[in-house]
Amino acid sequence: MKKVADWIEKLNEWGGTRRDIAFLAVSGIALLISIFGGLDLPVDPAWVAILLCGVPILLEALHGLITAFDIKADVLVSIALVASVIIGEDFAAGEVAFIMQLGALLEELTVARARAGIEKLVKLTPRTARVLHDGQADILPAEQVRVGDLVRVLPGETIPVDGVIVSGQTSVNQAIMTGESMPVDDSVASGTVNQFGSIDLRAGKVGEDSSIQRMIRLVQTADAGKAKIVALADRWATWIVVIALSAAVLTWLFTGQIIRAVTILVVFCPCALVLATPTAIMAAIGNATHHGFLVREGDALERLASVRRVAFDKTGTLTLGAPRVAAVYTLCPELDEAALFTLVAAAEQLSEHPLGKAIVTSWRENGAGLLPAADQFQMLPGRGVQAVVEGRTILAGNRAMLAEQGIPLPQAAARAADASLEEGCTVIYIACDNRAVGLLALSDTVRPEAHAALAEVQALGVEPVLLTGDNEKAARHLARQLGINSWHAGCLPQDKLRYMDDSLAEGQPVAMIGDGINDAPALKRAQVGIAMGGIGSDIAVEAADIALINDDLRELPHLVALSRRMMFVIRCNLTFSMALNFLAITLAITGLLNPVVGALVHNAGSVFVILHSAFLLGWRRHRTAKR
C-alpha cells in the first residue's frame, strides 16, 4: 500500500498547471468529437477525457483513502466514472471527469501561495557587531553580543542590537520598525541604519530578544488561523457519497434497472457546484486587476466581503511618506517668509539629515533659481546644522540647539511652535547671528485621494481605523483631517498585531492596509492584508493577500464593493447548482434521464455558472472602468 501511495505522490508531482491545461484542452476536443461524431474511430473519443481527466481523479481518490481515509467529492466522482464505463456510457464518464478537473484547475489558479518574505527580513539582520573592550573594538558574531556590552556602529552600518546611544551623535532611520519617516537620535533598534556619525551604544536587547528577530517571529506566526477556501462539495463529501450510493442502490433494487442507478451517480456528481466558487473568484480577480489590484490569495476577496473595519497605516499609506515644509514663521521684520526659507534651505543644502534634505526639496519645489552658497558648513549631530550664508551665521535645528547656544526663544515663536506641534508637525528652529528669527514646520503630506476614499469606505458600512507608529499629536491631527474616529498612536509591529487579534476576538475581523516592513505581521494576521504596491516594501507586499499596484486609494471602495458582489454571485451559483442537482436526481430516479442526458444537464449547469459569473463580475469590469 505504501508503494502505491508513493507512486501516486510522484505522479501528482509530475507536470503542473501547464500539463493540466493541455490535458483539459485535448479532453474537451475529444468530447466534442464524441458527441457530434463525424470520425470513424475504433474507440469512443471520450476515452481520451476518461484517461487524461478521469484517471487523475481516481488516483487522487485512492490516495486520500489509502493515506487518511479521506472521503471527498472525488470518491463519488470515481464511483460514477467506473459505473458509467462498466455499462458503456463513455461520454458521460468523460464529461463528468472533464468538468471536475476544470473546477480543480480553476481552484488551483485562484488560490495563490503567498510567500512570507522572511528570507528578506533575515538579510536585514546584521551578522557581526563591533564590541568595545578596554577601548579596543573586537568584531564578533552578532549573536555573541551580551546585554550591557558597548557596541560601536559606524556611519552607514546596520545596528546589530537594541540599545541606547551613550556617545556620538547621529540620526537613525527607524522606518523598518515604526514605519515613520522621521529619524531618532537616542534609543535605537536592531536592523535599523545608522545614517551618519560614529556612535557607541549600550546593548539592551540582544539575540532572539532584539527587534529584528521579534519581527521575523511575528511574520512567521502571523498567518495562523486564516481561513482558506474549502469547496462546498468537500465539506459535505461524506454525506454526499453515502446519500448517492444509498439512492443508487435502492433505485436498482426497486426498479431492477442498473442504468437508473448509474444515472443517479452521474447526476449526483457536483460538477456545477465545484465551478460555482472558483469561476466567480476568477471573474472578480480579473475585475480587481483592471482596477489596479493584484490579488495574491485566491480567497482574499471572499474574506474581504465579511470585513467591517479597515485599519490604515499612516506614513506611506494615508500620507505620501515624505516630510515637507508646511509653514514658515518669521520673527524678523527684515526677513520675510520667502527670504527666511531661502536662508535655511541654503544652510541645509549640504546636510545628510533627512529633515535637512526635506527642507531643500521643499524649497526647490516652491522656489526657482539657485540657492546661495553655504560656507563653513558643519553638522551638529542630534541638534541641527550651522553655516554662513550671505555673510550671516545661520543655525537650524531643534530647541536643544538654541539652548546650547544660549539663544532665547521669544514667546511668539514658542506659541507658533506649540501650535505646529499640536498638529503633529516637526519644528525646525532658526537663528541668525545668535538671534532667534523664526521656525519651519514640517509634516507628512496627506494623499490627495485619501479623504474621498475613506468617506466612500464609510458609506459602505466599513469603519476606518488608524494604526500608526507616529506620536499621539500627529495621529490625532491626521484622524481629524480624514474623519477617522478610532486611532492608535505609537504602534510597534506587535501592537498592530495585537489589534488584529483583539478585533477578531470581538467578532470584528479587520482588513489591514500598509506599506512598510513593520506592517508585515499585521498584514499577515489580518482578515485581509492589502499592501501599497508602489511605495510598499517587498516584504510588505509578500505578506499581503492583495497589492494595490498604483497606490491609488480611490480604488479601495470598488474592491470592497466587488468582494460583496462576488459573494452574492457565489451564493446564486450555489443555489442554482444545488437546485439543478436536486431536479436531475428526481428525474433520474423516475427514469426520465439516462447517464448521457444527465451529463449534458451538468454541462448546461456548468456553462450557466461560468457565464453568470463572467456577466455579473467580469462584464462590469469594463463598464465601471469608464466611470
Side-chain angles (χ1 to χ4, degrees):
M1 283 293 188
K2 186 177 185 303
K3 289 184 178 180
V4 173
D6 292 341
W7 180 78
I8 293 172
E9 189 70 32
K10 289 179 181 178
L11 185 66
N12 287 338
E13 293 174 358
W14 176 74
T17 302
R18 291 182 179 179
R19 177 205 63 192
D20 295 338
I21 294 174
F23 281 9
L24 279 169
V26 173
S27 299
I29 294 171
L31 289 172
L32 289 174
I33 295 173
S34 175
I35 193 170
F36 292 112
L39 293 178
D40 186 16
L41 299 172
V43 295
D44 190 331
W47 268 99
V48 174
I50 293 172
L51 293 174
L52 296 182
C53 296
V55 170
I57 294 174
L58 289 169
L59 294 174
E60 185 69 27
L62 181 61
H63 181 249
L65 288 172
I66 291 173
T67 58
F69 198 69
D70 188 12
I71 300 177
K72 297 192 296 188
D74 52 19
V75 174
L76 175 59
V77 176
S78 299
I79 296 171
L81 285 174
V82 172
S84 298
V85 169
I86 289 174
I87 67 170
E89 297 290 350
D90 300 335
F91 175 80
E95 192 273 345
V96 169
F98 175 80
I99 293 297
M100 294 300 291
Q101 285 294 72
L102 176 62
L105 177 64
L106 291 176
E107 189 81 17
E108 181 182 343
L109 291 175
T110 57
V111 181
R113 299 300 179 190
R115 295 163 292 163
I118 294 174
E119 66 279 1
K120 293 187 178 180
L121 275 174
V122 171
K123 289 179 181 178
L124 294 174
T125 307
R127 301 284 184 237
T128 61
R130 192 176 285 100
V131 181
L132 299 180
H133 294 293
D134 299 325
Q136 297 295 318
D138 298 325
I139 298 179
L140 305 174
E143 59 269 19
Q144 294 184 14
V145 179
R146 297 291 178 260
V147 174
D149 280 354
L150 198 61
V151 179
R152 177 163 293 169
V153 185
L154 301 180
E157 290 185 343
T158 302
I159 294 172
V161 295
D162 295 10
V164 177
I165 297 175
V166 295
S167 66
Q169 291 179 320
T170 186
S171 285
V172 176
N173 185 350
Q174 295 269 80
I176 182 177
M177 296 307 302
T178 67
E180 300 309 315
S181 56
M182 298 302 185
V184 298
D185 307 310
D186 40 27
S187 297
V188 293
S190 59
T192 58
V193 178
N194 177 22
Q195 294 183 308
F196 58 85
S198 176
I199 57 171
D200 295 341
L201 60 92
R202 185 73 63 186
K205 293 182 179 179
V206 300
E208 292 298 312
D209 293 330
S210 66
S211 297
I212 190 68
Q213 292 299 325
R214 292 200 306 273
M215 176 83 80
I216 291 172
R217 290 199 299 275
L218 287 174
V219 174
Q220 285 174 326
T221 60
D223 61 348
K226 232 183 197 182
K228 299 290 181 186
I229 288 177
V230 180
L232 186 67
D234 284 344
R235 292 176 188 170
W236 300 98
T238 303
W239 289 106
I240 291 174
V241 171
V242 171
I243 294 171
L245 289 176
S246 300
V249 170
L250 289 174
T251 301
W252 185 15
L253 291 176
F254 280 102
T255 66
Q257 297 181 26
I258 185 65
I259 194 167
R260 287 198 191 187
V262 174
T263 304
I264 289 171
L265 292 175
V266 170
V267 298
F268 245 112
C269 292
C271 294
L273 205 60
V274 166
L275 292 174
T277 297
T279 52
I281 291 177
M282 288 201 72
I285 287 175
N287 188 319
T289 301
H290 192 77
H291 284 264
F293 291 97
L294 173 61
V295 181
R296 305 183 67 250
E297 283 282 356
D299 63 336
L301 294 177
E302 182 185 26
R303 288 183 267 118
L304 181 60
S306 65
V307 162
R308 292 297 177 268
R309 288 181 186 171
V310 178
F312 292 86
D313 173 50
K314 170 183 168 284
T315 306
T317 302
L318 292 176
T319 68
L320 295 176
R324 291 291 183 268
V325 174
V328 180
Y329 298 93
T330 180
L331 305 171
C332 187
E334 64 268 23
L335 284 175
D336 60 18
E337 292 179 354
L340 180 62
F341 194 2
T342 298
L343 285 176
V344 178
E348 294 277 12
Q349 61 187 309
L350 299 178
S351 173
E352 292 297 322
H353 196 285
L355 293 180
K357 291 182 177 181
I359 291 171
V360 175
T361 299
S362 296
W363 184 88
R364 287 176 176 158
E365 289 174 351
N366 295 284
L370 298 175
L371 284 170
D375 299 321
Q376 302 177 36
F377 172 82
Q378 60 177 310
M379 295 290 299
L380 305 174
R383 293 158 293 165
V385 300
Q386 178 177 315
V388 176
V389 180
E390 296 179 338
R392 299 170 174 175
T393 300
I394 304 297
L395 288 167
N398 56 27
R399 200 159 181 170
M401 176 199 69
L402 294 183
E404 183 181 78
Q405 298 293 326
I407 300 173
L409 184 67
Q411 286 296 318
R415 286 193 296 270
D418 291 342
S420 295
L421 292 171
E422 281 297 319
E423 294 181 355
C425 295
T426 297
V427 175
I428 302 296
Y429 299 88
I430 307 159
C432 177
D433 295 332
N434 289 321
R435 181 166 63 101
V437 294
L439 54 90
L440 302 184
L442 289 89
S443 68
D444 203 350
T445 306
V446 177
R447 288 185 177 275
E449 71 276 13
H451 193 279
L454 265 64
E456 289 186 47
V457 166
Q458 287 176 304
L460 291 170
V462 177
E463 178 191 7
V465 178
L466 176 62
L467 302 180
T468 176
D470 211 339
N471 62 70
E472 185 172 347
K473 292 178 180 179
R476 181 173 60 245
H477 179 69
L478 181 67
R480 286 174 178 171
Q481 275 185 291
L482 297 177
I484 298 175
N485 297 321
S486 177
W487 51 271
H488 303 266
C491 293
L492 293 175
Q494 55 267 36
D495 299 318
K496 296 182 179 182
L497 196 61
R498 191 178 305 113
Y499 179 83
M500 301 297 137
D501 291 336
D502 292 344
S503 294
L504 189 60
E506 296 170 5
Q508 295 284 345
V510 181
M512 174 71 192
I513 304 180
D515 66 290
I517 296 173
N518 66 300
D519 297 319
L523 289 168
K524 261 298 200 183
R525 180 64 60 84
Q527 180 81 346
V528 179
I530 303 174
M532 305 293 278
I535 194 175
S537 69
D538 290 345
I539 294 172
V541 171
E542 290 183 1
D545 306 298
I546 300 172
L548 179 52
I549 301 301
N550 57 9
D551 294 344
D552 188 354
L553 288 177
R554 289 175 297 181
E555 296 292 354
L556 181 62
H558 172 81
L559 187 70
V560 174
L562 175 67
S563 69
R564 295 178 182 178
R565 191 165 72 244
M566 183 196 77
M567 292 309 299
F568 171 77
V569 170
I570 288 175
R571 293 187 191 99
C572 290
N573 287 349
L574 293 175
T575 301
F576 169 80
S577 302
M578 288 187 285
L580 182 67
N581 265 30
F582 179 78
L583 175 62
I585 291 165
T586 303
L587 294 175
I589 291 174
T590 60
L592 296 177
L593 286 184
N594 61 35
V596 172
V597 176
L600 290 175
V601 169
H602 274 311
N603 226 8
S606 301
V607 170
F608 171 83
V609 164
I610 293 171
L611 293 178
H612 180 244
S613 299
F615 183 79
L616 289 183
L617 295 169
W619 175 74
R620 288 193 179 188
R621 170 185 64 186
H622 304 291
R623 197 177 75 172
T624 54
K626 297 177 182 178
R627 60 186 180 148

